[in-house]
Amino acid sequence: MPRTAKKTVEDGNVIRFTTLKVRLYPTPEQAELFEKTFGCCRYIWNQMLADQQRFYSETGAFFIPTPAKYKNGAPFLKEVDNQALIQEHNKLNQAFRVFFKDPENFGYPKFKRKKDDRDSFTACNHAFESGPTIYITKDGIRMTKAGIVKAKFSRRPQAWWKLKRITVDKTRTGKYYCSILYEHTEKGPVPVVPTEETTVGLKYSMQHFCADSEGSMADPPRWRKQAQEKLTKIQRNLNRMQPGSKNYREAVQKFYQIHEHIANQRRDYIHKESSRIANAWDAVCVRTDELNELNKITNLGNICDSGYGMFRECLHYKLERQGKQFLIVDRYFPSTRTCSACGCVMPEEISTKRRTWICPCCGTVLKREHNAAQNIKAQGLAQYFRMRERREST
C-alpha cells in the first residue's frame, strides 16, 4: 500500500503513513448503522453547503456551520458516530480551500446525491484513559457505536504503528471495505544514484500498455474486451426489462459485479508490474502524458481503461520508499520523432499508424515506441544530473 514520507525526525528516521484495506462482514444491525451513517453524511454535507451559500449571498462572508447546529432539527444525526459528521465538515472546508487556491483545476463543491456519490464515511481515532475509540481485534475492527465488526485481514500492522483513522465504504455490489490509516516511524531509505545501466525509460503504448528502453513490451490481458460479450448481453436484457423490477435489479448487480471484477484484475496487474519494475531498476524515467487529452484525439479505444495513470502513481511511491529515482520528462518533449542514435529531430509528427521509421540523417531504422522510450531515458537522466550539479554548486 502507498507510503508517503511526512517529515524527517531524529537519527535519519521519517514519519510515514500506511493504509491497510480490509474486507468487512457486518451483521444486519451493523450494516443498517453503516447505511444510516452514509445518509447522514450526505445530509450534513448538503445542509452545510446550502447554509454556506445562503450566508455568503446575505453577508458576503465565508462561514460553514458545524454539524452540532443541525442535531436539534434532525435527531437522527445523534444515532450515528459524531466523528463521521465532523469529518464531513473538515472535508467541505478542505474542498473550499483547494477551490480558492486553484479554481481552474478544482471545481466549486457540489451537492451530493445518493445515486451519484460513493457511500463512505471517515472516523478518527482518539485515545482516552479507558482506551482508544477504534482498534483492531483478532478477527475484526472495533468502531464507535457499531462495536466489533468482523473483518478479513490480508496483512497485519506492526505493534508500534499508531492507528489514525478509518474510512468505511460500500461498493455498488454491496461489499463493505475499511481503509485503516496508520502512522509510524521508520528508518529513511538511502538515496540511490542512478546510472545508465540501472535506469529504464517507459513510454505509454496504446497497443502494449507500455514499452521500455530495453525493447520489452508490457502486454496485459484485455480484461474489458474479454468480458464485453457478457456486458453486451446484460445491457440488451436490461433494455427489455421494467426498471425497478426484481429481474432488473438482479441484472444491474451482475453488471456491477463484472465491472468490479475487471477493475480488480487491472489493479492486481498494475501493482505486480510496478513492483517488478521498482525492484529491478534504480531509476525509472516517464513522460507526463495527459491521458484524458490523448483519449480525445484518438479513436483506438478508451485510453483511460488501461490504468496507466494509476500505474505511474504506484511506480512513484514504490521507488520513493526504496530511495530510488522517479524521473519525469515534460509531456511536450519530442520523444517519438527524435532519433535515439544521432539526435536528429523530425520536423513533423509521425503518424501513430507507423510502427517504424527511418532517420533521414543517419539512416537508422527505428521502432517507434522503443526509440521513444530510449529518448525518455536519456532526457530523464540528463535532467537529473543537471539538477544534481546545481545543488552541489550551491
Side-chain angles (χ1 to χ4, degrees):
M1 287 294 172
R3 301 184 183 185
T4 304
K6 185 69 174 179
K7 60 181 180 179
T8 304
V9 295
E10 295 180 359
D11 300 328
N13 293 336
V14 294
I15 296 177
R16 293 191 181 275
F17 295 93
T18 300
T19 302
L20 304 182
K21 189 172 183 179
V22 300
R23 173 82 182 274
L24 297 180
Y25 297 91
T27 63
E29 293 77 15
Q30 291 170 337
E32 183 181 358
L33 178 61
F34 288 165
E35 295 297 330
K36 288 182 180 179
T37 309
F38 297 148
C40 289
C41 288
R42 280 193 299 270
Y43 173 83
I44 204 73
W45 173 284
N46 292 336
Q47 290 295 318
M48 290 188 298
L49 181 57
D51 287 347
Q52 186 277 332
Q53 292 178 347
R54 182 167 55 252
F55 186 83
Y56 182 79
S57 63
E58 293 174 356
T59 65
F62 177 81
F63 174 72
I64 300 178
T66 60
K69 173 187 174 183
Y70 305 96
K71 289 189 177 181
N72 291 332
F76 55 86
L77 294 176
K78 300 178 182 180
E79 300 177 11
V80 302
D81 185 6
N82 185 53
Q83 279 297 315
L85 306 181
I86 293 175
Q87 289 303 311
E88 289 300 309
H89 182 266
N90 295 339
K91 290 177 184 177
L92 186 58
N93 269 310
Q94 176 65 13
F96 274 108
R97 279 197 295 269
V98 297
F99 168 71
F100 292 141
K101 185 177 180 180
D102 191 2
E104 294 184 359
N105 295 321
F106 296 94
Y108 188 85
K110 298 180 180 179
F111 291 97
K112 292 184 177 182
R113 298 192 301 174
K114 183 176 181 179
K115 66 178 183 179
D116 295 336
D117 290 286
R118 181 176 66 115
D119 288 331
S120 68
F121 69 86
T122 301
C124 288
N125 181 31
H126 295 280
F128 298 103
E129 292 182 0
S130 58
T133 56
I134 303 171
Y135 57 86
I136 66 171
T137 62
K138 181 179 179 181
D139 58 354
I141 304 174
R142 193 273 178 187
M143 304 181 189
T144 306
K145 296 207 172 183
I148 297 178
V149 183
K150 186 178 179 182
K152 184 178 181 180
F153 294 85
S154 59
R155 176 186 174 191
R156 287 280 179 171
Q158 300 295 329
W160 61 89
W161 291 8
K162 183 179 179 182
L163 196 156
K164 300 295 291 183
R165 66 171 180 260
I166 61 170
T167 299
V168 177
D169 63 271
K170 180 185 177 183
T171 65
R172 290 183 178 270
T173 58
K175 298 175 184 177
Y176 293 92
Y177 290 91
C178 181
S179 299
I180 313 172
L181 179 68
Y182 288 94
E183 178 185 353
H184 57 96
T185 303
E186 65 178 35
K187 189 172 182 60
V190 179
V192 179
V193 179
T195 62
E196 187 174 352
E197 293 75 19
T198 60
T199 303
V200 67
L202 297 182
K203 169 70 170 67
Y204 171 71
S205 171
M206 295 183 186
Q207 294 183 344
H208 303 280
F209 185 70
C210 72
D212 64 29
S213 55
E214 302 298 309
S216 301
M217 301 285 186
D219 285 306
R222 303 294 179 179
W223 306 287
R224 179 75 176 266
K225 187 176 181 180
Q226 292 173 356
Q228 191 60 48
E229 185 176 348
K230 293 181 181 179
L231 292 172
T232 303
K233 184 178 179 180
I234 293 176
Q235 287 174 322
R236 287 174 180 170
N237 293 338
L238 285 172
N239 291 333
R240 303 189 191 101
M241 295 177 183
Q242 180 67 29
S245 65
K246 181 179 178 181
N247 290 338
Y248 184 87
R249 292 195 299 270
E250 289 178 353
V252 169
Q253 281 300 307
K254 289 181 181 179
F255 185 79
Y256 288 154
Q257 287 173 357
I258 294 174
H259 274 288
E260 185 180 89
H261 183 62
I262 295 171
N264 290 337
Q265 288 177 310
R266 183 190 301 115
R267 191 179 301 111
D268 179 70
Y269 174 81
I270 286 172
H271 277 289
K272 288 179 179 178
E273 183 67 14
S274 59
S275 296
R276 183 190 67 81
I277 294 175
N279 294 334
W281 302 93
D282 290 343
V284 178
C285 306
V286 298
R287 198 175 69 171
T288 56
D289 295 315
E290 289 293 336
L291 301 183
N292 288 329
E293 296 297 326
L294 289 175
N295 201 38
K296 294 177 182 179
I297 61 175
T298 183
N299 57 357
L300 299 178
N302 191 351
I303 293 176
C304 298
D305 276 348
S306 66
Y308 187 73
M310 179 183 176
F311 171 75
R312 287 188 304 200
E313 293 178 3
C314 291
L315 197 57
H316 186 189
Y317 82 77
K318 290 176 182 179
L319 287 165
E320 185 180 28
R321 71 184 183 186
Q322 297 183 52
K324 298 179 179 181
Q325 304 298 323
F326 183 74
L327 307 177
I328 299 176
V329 176
D330 185 76
R331 57 179 293 198
Y332 296 109
F333 173 66
S335 60
T336 303
R337 54 192 179 93
T338 301
C339 176
S340 58
C342 67
C344 177
V345 181
M346 295 283 286
E348 297 180 356
E349 287 290 342
I350 301 173
S351 173
T352 55
K353 296 181 181 180
R354 292 180 59 184
R355 311 317 302 169
T356 60
W357 59 283
I358 300 175
C359 176
C361 300
C362 63
T364 305
V365 179
L366 303 166
K367 293 183 179 180
R368 177 189 178 90
E369 291 164 342
H370 180 213
N371 173 69
Q374 288 182 320
N375 289 327
I376 291 173
K377 171 184 173 180
Q379 180 69 7
L381 282 175
Q383 291 179 181
Y384 170 79
F385 286 113
R386 281 199 298 267
M387 292 179 61
R388 190 180 178 191
E389 287 178 0
R390 291 196 197 103
R391 286 196 299 265
E392 291 176 350
S393 61
T394 57

